[in-house]
Amino acid sequence: MTRREAHTAAEHAARESYSRLVALLAAASGDLALAEDALATAFERALTSWPSDGVPANPEGWLLTVARNQLRDVWKSAAHRTSMILDDTISSGATTVTPFDDVDPDAIPDKRLELLFTCAHPAIDAAARTPLMLQSVLGFEAADIATAFTVAPATMSQRLVRAKRRIRDARIPFVVPDRRAMPERLPAVLEAVYGCFAIAWNDADGTDPDTVESMAGESLHLAVTLAALLDDPEAWGLAALIALSLSRAPARTGPFIPLEEQDPATWDVALIRDGEAMLRRASAFGRPHGRFQLEAAMQSVHADRARTGVVDWAALQSLSSALTAVAPTLGARIAHAAIVGRASSPADGLCLLDELGGDGAGFGPFHAAKADLLVRAGHSDAAREHFERAAELTGDELARKYLRRRAGEVG
């Protein structure tokens, strides 16, 4: 086996198994950072041994075994024993028993939900809960998370380190909380699952469909599992949102095409059907709609174009108005302005964008939305400048090509 083939196998194992392995190792050790370090060591050894020995029949089991042995060595080391407070069951007596001895490398349960709820513990800084889940449970890099949260990578790294230290020092248990504690933790968990989908979806840029199918598909699995477990309207709303969004994954395999210009015949009918069913389940609770239900309803309006052939901009305007009242994020306000510009007039949409002041200056979607509305209002020169600025700010190469093409067309 060549080194390239071994690297490919290791990358596949990381994509498919990283979060499950970290969750299992952390559940055994109670130390999230230590579990991540041990797994990193396992991957390093895989890159060293797999080129010569071949990829094992069970890569997950191989990685877990190496990581487990690494954890056991650390746990037994004098340095670790003198720096940690050990449980009575492993800190005394002549025998050397570690919490990793009962880990079966051939039976890898999905412990991610336990770890998600652990990371949402109220003892952890609220600003770090969702990022911690995205990194430690769902396997994203701190830099990607920092970009999603529009903070400096160094700031995000510090938050994550402090949060992991808090879990270790406070000895926060890796268990699903009882029903009384779940409502308090659920919003952060839902945000993390949505973040998993959003980062994978935005980073895929049409060049790596496996990433979309793997990570975005995992987010759908987790959302549906959470919804079925808790039977919560916002959990069902999130599951519907992800399913309806994923239905358009086939349209992302070529050049970037705006949603309203995509051919509905390329969309996944089964996922649309599932998403609509989950959205109806969320609405059946009869409670005020939350953020994810409203976003899912907006995706449902777009999906309905497969039936009607037109976009119901008036319905989107009503839904986006409600969304900005519930969750007035920068992205939601920009989307609302763009929709108003289509449902009412470009001038009305531009007025809403102007109300944002300098908040959108460094945000690509702001400039893309403004450029589109300026074109519709007949201001080509200003539109070209904003298309070019939007292209500079996007990390999606296909979207960048599209924006630059639009800039050239209006010029």
Side-chain angles (χ1 to χ4, degrees), residues 129-262:
R129 292 171 196 165
T130 297
L132 182 62
M133 287 181 253
L134 286 169
Q135 185 193 53
S136 298
V137 187
L138 301 171
F140 290 100
E141 297 291 338
D144 294 330
I145 301 168
T147 299
F149 280 78
T150 61
V151 301
T155 301
M156 182 57 68
S157 296
Q158 290 172 359
R159 288 182 188 175
L160 292 167
V161 169
R162 287 196 297 267
K164 294 171 190 177
R165 187 180 299 127
R166 179 63 177 164
I167 289 176
R168 183 197 65 196
D169 295 346
R171 303 176 69 79
I172 295 174
F174 287 81
V175 295
V176 175
D178 61 31
R179 295 280 175 171
R180 292 170 297 178
M182 279 186 174
E184 179 184 18
R185 303 190 192 187
L186 182 60
V189 174
L190 294 179
E191 286 289 344
V193 174
Y194 177 70
C196 172
F197 166 74
I199 294 175
W201 184 260
N202 291 334
D203 284 352
D205 76 8
T207 60
D208 187 6
D210 287 344
T211 300
V212 174
E213 293 177 6
S214 178
M215 292 309 301
E218 282 294 291
S219 68
L220 178 59
H221 164 74
L222 289 170
V224 172
T225 301
L226 278 168
L229 173 68
L230 302 178
D231 201 22
D232 176 86
E234 269 296 85
W236 284 117
L238 175 59
L241 169 61
I242 295 175
L244 290 168
S245 299
L246 272 178
S247 70
R248 298 190 298 275
R252 292 169 58 86
T253 57
F256 177 85
I257 303 175
L259 172 56
E260 67 201 68
E261 298 176 15
Q262 292 177 14

Side-chain angles (χ1 to χ4, degrees), residues 324-342:
T324 56
V326 172
T329 63
L330 178 60
R333 295 174 68 189
I334 292 172
H336 177 60
I339 290 169
V340 169
R342 301 298 300 275

Side-chain angles (χ1 to χ4, degrees), residues 16-378:
E16 295 294 327
S17 310
Y18 179 87
S19 60
R20 290 194 295 272
L21 292 171
V22 166
L24 183 58
L25 293 164
S29 67
D31 190 329
L32 193 52
L34 188 60
E36 291 175 332
D37 289 344
L39 188 55
T41 298
F43 274 105
E44 289 174 2
R45 293 183 183 175
L47 294 175
T48 300
S49 64
W50 289 3
S52 57
D53 299 341
V55 177
N58 181 3
E60 280 190 340
W62 189 97
L63 291 164
L64 179 59
T65 298
V66 174
R68 178 194 58 186
N69 291 337
Q70 174 69 13
L71 284 170
R72 183 186 291 114
D73 291 343
V74 172
W75 197 273
K76 291 177 180 178
S77 71
H80 193 75
R81 283 188 281 108
T82 56
S83 63
M84 295 290 295
I85 302 174
L86 304 183
D87 291 336
D88 292 340
T89 56
I90 57 175
S91 61
S92 61
T95 60
T96 55
V97 180
T98 78
F100 320 109
D101 291 325
D102 294 330
V103 175
D104 181 0
D106 295 319
I108 305 178
D110 189 342
K111 306 286 284 186
R112 288 172 296 180
L113 288 180
E114 285 93 334
L115 190 50
L116 283 171
F117 278 101
T118 297
C119 294
H121 195 285
I124 300 172
D125 180 16
R129 292 171 196 165
T130 297
L132 182 62
M133 287 181 253
L134 286 169
Q135 185 193 53
S136 298
V137 187
L138 301 171
F140 290 100
E141 297 291 338
D144 294 330
I145 301 168
T147 299
F149 280 78
T150 61
V151 301
T155 301
M156 182 57 68
S157 296
Q158 290 172 359
R159 288 182 188 175
L160 292 167
V161 169
R162 287 196 297 267
K164 294 171 190 177
R165 187 180 299 127
R166 179 63 177 164
I167 289 176
R168 183 197 65 196
D169 295 346
R171 303 176 69 79
I172 295 174
F174 287 81
V175 295
V176 175
D178 61 31
R179 295 280 175 171
R180 292 170 297 178
M182 279 186 174
E184 179 184 18
R185 303 190 192 187
L186 182 60
V189 174
L190 294 179
E191 286 289 344
V193 174
Y194 177 70
C196 172
F197 166 74
I199 294 175
W201 184 260
N202 291 334
D203 284 352
D205 76 8
T207 60
D208 187 6
D210 287 344
T211 300
V212 174
E213 293 177 6
S214 178
M215 292 309 301
E218 282 294 291
S219 68
L220 178 59
H221 164 74
L222 289 170
V224 172
T225 301
L226 278 168
L229 173 68
L230 302 178
D231 201 22
D232 176 86
E234 269 296 85
W236 284 117
L238 175 59
L241 169 61
I242 295 175
L244 290 168
S245 299
L246 272 178
S247 70
R248 298 190 298 275
R252 292 169 58 86
T253 57
F256 177 85
I257 303 175
L259 172 56
E260 67 201 68
E261 298 176 15
Q262 292 177 14
D263 180 2
T266 65
W267 297 345
D268 189 318
V269 176
L271 276 174
I272 292 176
R273 183 176 60 247
D274 291 345
E276 297 286 0
M278 289 185 283
L279 184 56
R280 288 193 297 271
R281 179 73 188 95
S283 299
F285 285 83
R287 302 177 192 172
H289 290 174
R291 169 195 170 188
F292 293 123
Q293 292 177 76
L294 289 168
E295 290 194 24
M298 293 172 68
Q299 294 302 321
S300 176
V301 171
H302 283 291
D304 198 44
R305 182 162 65 86
R307 179 181 63 85
T308 65
V310 296
V311 177
D312 189 342
W313 291 106
L316 286 174
Q317 181 174 346
S318 296
L319 290 167
S320 65
S321 179
L323 178 61
T324 56
V326 172
T329 63
L330 178 60
R333 295 174 68 189
I334 292 172
H336 177 60
I339 290 169
V340 169
R342 301 298 300 275
S344 178
S345 72
D348 290 340
L350 288 168
C351 285
L352 291 174
L353 289 176
D354 289 341
E355 291 176 3
L356 296 176
D359 292 345
F363 193 45
F366 169 84
H367 294 281
K370 190 163 188 175
D372 182 72
L373 293 181
L374 285 168
V375 169
R376 298 178 189 280

